[in-house]
């Protein structure tokens, strides 16, 4: 049977890096085995699901190169692929469960249930539904219907409690530790091994709401079965749903898919990944110029640990080599520094192999930061090209462009107060900068080498050490103390801007 995996996002927000990471592994597994990857939209929570997020999620998935063989936009033989469009299937499955006496209508009102809950809380017991509607007589049902009471549909977990029914070896197992037989749902998890859930802890849970809408857990089972999903890999937070899902599969005489519950990502401090560690939407990474190939490589190394100690792998290589069994139980560490390094490596490669792509990305980034118009002129693009050549390896992520090169795109440049105080407001700097400005203004050819020799000559004339003078010049030209090579950047700024910035620097230096 061909491997079929899926991603089943609820379109209630942006795709986070954690979700993208998990999706990547599902996709990779399908591709690794020549199977299919399916996108299904779990929009049963109608109040929070939006078409807007659905589109953004799809767009972000495509951006990291995750494609799907079946899905709401591309269709497929098991569609529709949006839960809100699949309600007939859930209704049929619910009817089938009732017919098999594996589910029943529960007419309890919200107040009645609340009273049960309050009683449990008062007695300091964990709440479990009393089972009041579990065995209603036809007359009781007729009476409730006559009252026009609304009903939910509950799963009859009770029907699995008989140890005689539990086979040994299957996922329903009777175990006896000496205190009498107890029935367990034993989930064979591909990552965790067997995980046993005591049936005594599972209630007669609701599968259909009183408005007729299927609950997530139930719809998920019907869909995974109907769409013929063979492997479900998802976050550990879904592990507790799994025994209930297995019960539903069992009651419908369906075979559950293979399941794997991946650990949560953690930050370098080994705490659960949060926004502080970089658990933000994938789009934020995209906006910060992380490249999809870097994200994918980084994702792969959080859960797959190649022996050779190498870290850079192409998508094709990953597709050939990845194995689900290598994902351990320990939380992979999301190391932002490593991601930045990796992005820098891919950025360097892209600059060599696809310079126009990088140019487009950087222009877009500068435009988003108000430093270029959305449609830059040919001259502006030429400047960006030049700046990139000067920056070279310094650009690992978008922020580096601002750190090292914003002054190329701002007139006047933003001045760092501390740098101004330290390097411009020193004695003798004003006349020195004016002298350099004059000499650069008079230069025959404005090149980095010519600029350098003028600076050296002026420093000698003023009797100031060369290594000292570079700082005020840099601060005057760029507003800061760090950046690319001084003479190259001066050449790239051009005579007019360089001279006027040096004069402005001199004015600051001379100010009382
Ligand atoms: N809709 C669920 C979620 O977004 C997916 C659950 C599953 O993968 O089974 O978390």
């Amino acid at each position: 049977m061909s491997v079929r995996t899926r991603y089943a996002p609820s379109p209630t927000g942006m795709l986070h890096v954690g979700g993208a990471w998990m999706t990547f592994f599902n996709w990779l597994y399908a591709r690794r085995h020549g199977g299919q990857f399916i996108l299904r939209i779990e929009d049963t929570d109608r109040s929070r699901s939006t078409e807007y997020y659905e589109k953004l999620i799809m767009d972000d998935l495509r951006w990291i190169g995750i494609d799907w063989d079946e899905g709401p936009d591309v269709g497929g033989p098991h569609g529709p692929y949006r839960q809100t469009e699949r309600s007939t299937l859930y209704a049929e499955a619910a009817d089938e469960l009732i017919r098999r006496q594996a589910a029943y209508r529960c007419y309890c009102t919200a107040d009645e249930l609340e009273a049960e809950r309050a009683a449990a809380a008062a007695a300091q017991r964990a709440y479990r539904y009393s089972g009041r509607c579990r065995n209603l007589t036809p007359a009781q049902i007729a009476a409730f219907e006559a009252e026009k009471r609304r009903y939910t549909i509950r799963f009859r977990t009770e029907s699995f409690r008989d140890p005689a029914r539990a086979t040994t070896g299957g996922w329903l197992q009777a175990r006896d530790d000496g205190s009498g037989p107890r029935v367990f749902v034993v989930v064979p998890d591909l990552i965790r091994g067997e995980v046993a859930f005591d049936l005594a802890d599972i209630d007669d849970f609701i599968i259909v709401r009183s408005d007729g809408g299927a609950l997530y857990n139930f719809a998920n089972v019907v869909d995974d079965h109907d769409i013929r999903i063979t492997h479900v890999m998802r976050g550990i937070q879904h592990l507790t749903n799994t025994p209930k899902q297995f019960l539903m599969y069992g009651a419908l005489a369906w075979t559950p898919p293979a399941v794997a519950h991946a650990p949560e990502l953690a930050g370098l401090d080994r705490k659960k990944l949060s926004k502080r560690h970089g658990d933000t939407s994938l789009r934020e990474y995209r906006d910060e110029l992380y490249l999809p190939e870097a994200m994918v490589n980084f994702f792969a190394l959080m859960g797959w640990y190649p022996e050779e100690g190498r870290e850079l792998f192409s998508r094709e290589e990953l597709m050939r080599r990845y194995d689900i069994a290598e994902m351990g139980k320990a939380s992979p560490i999301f190391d932002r520094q490593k991601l930045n390094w990796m992005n820098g490596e891919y950025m360097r490669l892209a600059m060599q192999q696809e310079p126009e792509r990088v140019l487009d990305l950087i222009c877009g980034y500068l435009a988003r930061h108000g430093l270029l118009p959305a449609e830059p002129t040919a001259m502006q693009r030429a400047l960006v090209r030049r700046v990139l050549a000067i920056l070279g390896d310094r650009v690992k992520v978008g922020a580096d462009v601002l750190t090292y090169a914003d002054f190329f795109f701002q007139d006047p440049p933003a001045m760092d107060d501390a740098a101004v105080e330290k390097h411009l407001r020193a004695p003798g700097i004003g006349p020195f900068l004016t002298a350099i400005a004059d000499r650069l203004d008079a230069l025959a050819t404005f090149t980095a080498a010519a600029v350098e020799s003028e600076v050296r000559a002026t420093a000698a004339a003023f009797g100031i050490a060369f290594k000292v003078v570079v700082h005020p010049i840099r601060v005057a030209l760029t507003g800061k103390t760090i950046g690319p090579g001084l003479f190259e950047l001066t050449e790239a700024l051009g005579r007019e801007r360089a001279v006027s910035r040096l004069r402005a620097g001199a004015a600051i230096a001379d100010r009382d």
Side-chain angles (χ1 to χ4, degrees):
M1 191 171 42
S2 145
V3 164
R4 287 171 63 84
T5 64
R6 45 58 165 193
Y7 178 46
S10 305
T12 55
M14 305 285 277
L15 178 61
H16 265 229
V17 283
W21 168 72
M22 193 75 275
T23 310
F24 170 70
F25 277 105
N26 275 288
W27 173 86
L28 191 57
Y29 191 68
R31 294 292 172 249
R32 165 86 173 79
H33 294 279
Q36 287 100 44
F37 177 71
I38 290 104
L39 180 68
R40 179 175 77 229
I41 302 294
E42 300 211 319
D43 54 353
T44 45
D45 182 350
R46 289 182 208 180
S47 60
R48 292 174 55 228
S49 300
T50 69
E51 218 174 290
Y52 169 75
Y53 284 129
E54 183 183 311
K55 284 216 172 63
L56 286 188
I57 290 171
M58 289 200 214
D59 189 50
D60 287 345
L61 291 174
R62 281 201 193 93
W63 176 69
I64 39 168
I66 291 182
D67 55 346
W68 45 98
D69 306 288
E70 297 167 33
D73 53 340
V74 294
H78 306 285
Y81 294 90
R82 246 181 230 108
Q83 287 189 327
T84 42
E85 294 166 16
R86 298 173 62 84
S87 36
T88 337
L89 278 169
Y90 312 139
E92 279 168 19
D95 284 349
E96 181 60 22
L97 284 173
I98 291 178
R99 208 182 56 72
R100 289 170 178 249
Q101 299 191 346
Y104 57 90
R105 290 179 179 185
C106 171
Y107 291 91
C108 293
T109 62
D111 287 346
E112 286 166 349
L113 294 176
E114 195 38 54
E116 282 189 4
R117 227 172 253 120
Q124 296 188 322
R125 274 188 284 114
Y127 171 67
R128 287 262 304 274
Y129 172 58
S130 62
R132 200 152 25 139
C133 293
R134 196 179 286 143
N135 298 306
L136 295 177
T137 62
Q140 285 171 310
I141 293 177
F144 284 140
E145 290 289 332
E147 275 177 45
K148 297 218 176 331
R149 275 211 195 194
R150 285 151 72 90
Y151 61 84
T152 58
I153 299 180
R154 281 184 190 271
F155 185 79
R156 195 186 295 273
T157 304
E158 195 62 20
S159 60
F160 284 88
R161 292 197 206 283
D162 177 5
R165 181 174 175 176
T167 53
T168 39
W171 56 258
L172 194 66
Q173 294 180 18
R175 293 180 177 179
D176 194 341
D177 58 6
S179 58
R182 286 191 298 160
V183 178
F184 290 84
V185 176
V186 181
V187 172
D189 189 290
L190 294 178
I191 293 173
R192 286 155 207 284
E194 290 196 337
V195 190
F197 296 87
D198 191 336
L199 204 61
D201 297 328
I202 303 179
D203 221 345
D204 278 4
F205 51 92
I206 297 176
I207 55 172
V208 178
R209 287 190 298 256
S210 60
D211 65 2
L215 261 94
Y216 151 73
N217 236 356
F218 175 49
N220 190 273
V221 163
V222 174
D223 289 341
D224 280 342
H225 171 75
D226 184 70
I227 300 174
R228 317 251 196 288
I229 299 300
T230 58
H231 294 75
V232 167
M233 203 196 306
R234 58 188 171 197
I236 181 80
Q237 75 274 19
H238 289 293
L239 182 60
T240 50
N241 290 330
T242 314
K244 293 181 183 172
Q245 293 178 341
F246 270 48
L247 291 173
M248 292 186 267
Y249 282 106
L252 287 159
W254 294 342
T255 310
V259 295
H261 290 88
E264 273 171 336
L265 295 178
L268 274 176
D269 55 6
R270 312 213 167 246
K271 300 220 168 79
K272 181 175 177 304
L273 198 67
S274 68
K275 199 164 166 102
R276 186 170 52 83
H277 301 108
D279 184 22
T280 54
S281 66
L282 191 62
R283 193 156 288 245
E284 280 183 47
Y285 283 88
R286 178 177 174 175
D287 287 346
E288 276 306 312
L289 297 195
Y290 287 82
L291 300 176
E293 55 271 38
M295 292 308 293
V296 156
N297 192 154
F298 178 67
F299 282 167
L301 297 187
M302 291 190 296
W304 174 69
Y305 307 97
E307 276 168 16
E308 65 259 44
R310 180 159 63 101
E311 304 221 81
L312 299 180
F313 292 90
S314 70
R315 184 185 297 266
E316 289 65 35
E317 230 172 331
L318 294 172
M319 278 190 209
R320 277 198 309 276
R321 297 189 39 181
Y322 167 67
D323 187 355
I324 207 170
E326 292 184 48
M327 167 108 46
K329 282 185 247 182
S331 284
I333 304 291
F334 187 96
D335 179 349
R336 189 78 185 254
Q337 291 304 325
K338 181 166 162 180
L339 172 59
N340 289 358
W341 165 78
M342 199 171 265
N343 203 59
E345 295 296 303
Y346 280 99
M347 191 62 96
R348 194 167 55 182
L349 209 65
M351 281 189 196
Q352 286 161 11
Q353 298 175 350
E354 307 162 276
E356 291 304 301
R357 172 186 173 210
V358 178
L359 197 64
D360 286 344
L361 287 173
I362 306 271
C363 286
Y365 187 81
L366 288 167
R368 284 199 295 284
H369 288 268
L371 296 174
L372 272 189
E375 301 281 336
T377 62
M379 254 173 70
Q380 286 168 323
R381 270 182 83 85
L383 175 61
V384 177
R385 198 187 304 271
R386 184 137 188 209
V387 167
L388 274 182
I390 295 175
L391 292 181
D393 291 359
R394 289 183 182 85
V395 182
K396 293 188 169 45
V397 296
D400 297 329
V401 179
L402 299 185
T403 306
Y404 298 118
D406 57 352
F407 59 87
F408 280 109
F409 307 96
Q410 279 171 326
D411 266 309
M415 302 300 274
D416 167 2
D417 289 342
V420 166
E421 213 41 56
K422 179 157 179 216
H423 297 293
L424 286 187
R425 307 279 292 160
I429 292 302
F432 171 72
L433 290 179
T434 304
I436 303 231
D438 290 343
R439 294 179 78 139
L440 295 193
D441 208 9
L443 259 185
T445 47
F446 196 80
T447 60
V451 170
E452 177 169 358
S453 67
E454 293 305 318
V455 169
R456 284 188 186 277
T458 320
F462 276 73
I464 319 178
F466 176 72
K467 64 176 196 315
V468 175
V469 302
V470 289
H471 300 297
I473 300 175
R474 181 182 288 283
V475 174
L477 293 177
T478 71
K480 55 180 99 189
T481 52
I482 48 161
L486 182 60
F487 306 114
E488 287 170 286
L489 82 81
T490 313
E491 181 186 324
L493 267 177
R495 185 197 308 264
E496 211 179 300
R497 295 168 93 195
V499 168
S500 87
R501 287 182 186 195
L502 288 167
R503 295 204 194 288
I508 296 174
D510 288 339
R511 204 182 294 146
D512 292 330

